[in-house]
């Protein structure tokens, strides 16, 4: 199983944003700091999730467990629903990737357990 830690960060709301993705598994350690342009923090969290799914799909990982400190991302995926209209297209994009995995899990974790992805996301802000 591949563990995928994700975080989105924004320097303002909205402001310059970045995605941090840390992937680990048997003999796998990958880090990504992806600049996202200007968006709010929740949008950055969703984009980090989508980018992580895209990376895992391209690498043909079959069993992934996504870990996030974003309640809105985790709850939206688990419920397959989100109230805010502007986030619906982002959730739909995520659900285009999820069926490509043999097994997919998502779990909410406290911020202190997601510090690696947080550092990567903050570094991505400076790459904009």
């Amino acid at each position: 199983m591949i563990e995928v830690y994700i975080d989105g960060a924004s320097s303002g709301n909205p402001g310059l944003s970045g995605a941090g993705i840390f992937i680990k598994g048997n003999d796998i350690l990958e880090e990504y700091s992806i600049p996202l342009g200007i968006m709010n923090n929740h949008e950055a969290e969703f984009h980090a999730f989508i980018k992580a799914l895209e990376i895992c799909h391209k690498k043909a990982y079959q069993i992934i467990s996504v870990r996030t400190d974003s309640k809105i991302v985790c709850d939206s995926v688990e419920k397959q629903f989100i109230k805010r209209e502007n986030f619906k297209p982002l959730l739909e994009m995520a659900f285009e990737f999820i069926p490509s995995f043999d097994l997919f899990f998502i779990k909410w974790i406290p911020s202190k357990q997601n510090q690696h992805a947080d550092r990567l996301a903050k570094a991505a802000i400076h790459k904009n």
Side-chain angles (χ1 to χ4, degrees):
M1 176 169 41
I2 304 296
E3 293 178 5
V4 184
Y5 294 82
I6 62 167
D7 200 17
S10 181
S11 65
N13 209 14
L16 289 176
S17 300
I21 302 164
F22 174 57
I23 299 173
K24 68 179 187 174
N26 293 340
D27 302 322
I28 297 169
L29 279 179
E30 300 172 16
E31 296 180 335
Y32 300 89
S33 283
I34 304 167
L36 298 173
I38 296 177
M39 59 184 64
N40 70 40
N41 191 59
H42 291 308
E43 289 170 315
E45 296 280 6
F46 272 102
H47 281 279
F49 177 51
I50 293 164
K51 294 284 188 189
L53 293 175
E54 187 177 310
I55 290 165
C56 290
H57 174 75
K58 284 182 182 176
K59 293 189 171 269
Y61 297 146
Q62 292 304 306
I63 301 172
I64 67 168
S65 178
V66 175
R67 317 292 171 91
T68 178
D69 59 13
S70 170
K71 282 257 188 210
I72 192 169
V73 170
C74 189
D75 290 348
S76 299
V77 172
E78 286 179 340
K79 294 176 184 174
Q80 298 182 18
F81 176 79
I82 190 161
K83 289 181 184 178
R84 297 198 51 192
E85 286 295 322
N86 56 325
F87 295 148
K88 284 184 180 180
L90 298 173
L91 187 60
E92 289 169 5
M93 287 173 66
F95 277 109
E96 289 178 18
F97 286 105
I98 291 172
S100 69
F101 303 108
D102 289 344
L103 287 173
F104 167 83
F105 305 95
I106 190 164
K107 179 181 180 181
W108 178 85
I109 58 173
S111 296
K112 67 181 178 182
Q113 292 178 18
N114 205 29
Q115 292 176 350
H116 195 140
D118 179 63
R119 281 192 301 275
L120 294 169
K122 288 177 179 168
I125 290 172
H126 301 292
K127 293 180 179 182
N128 278 289

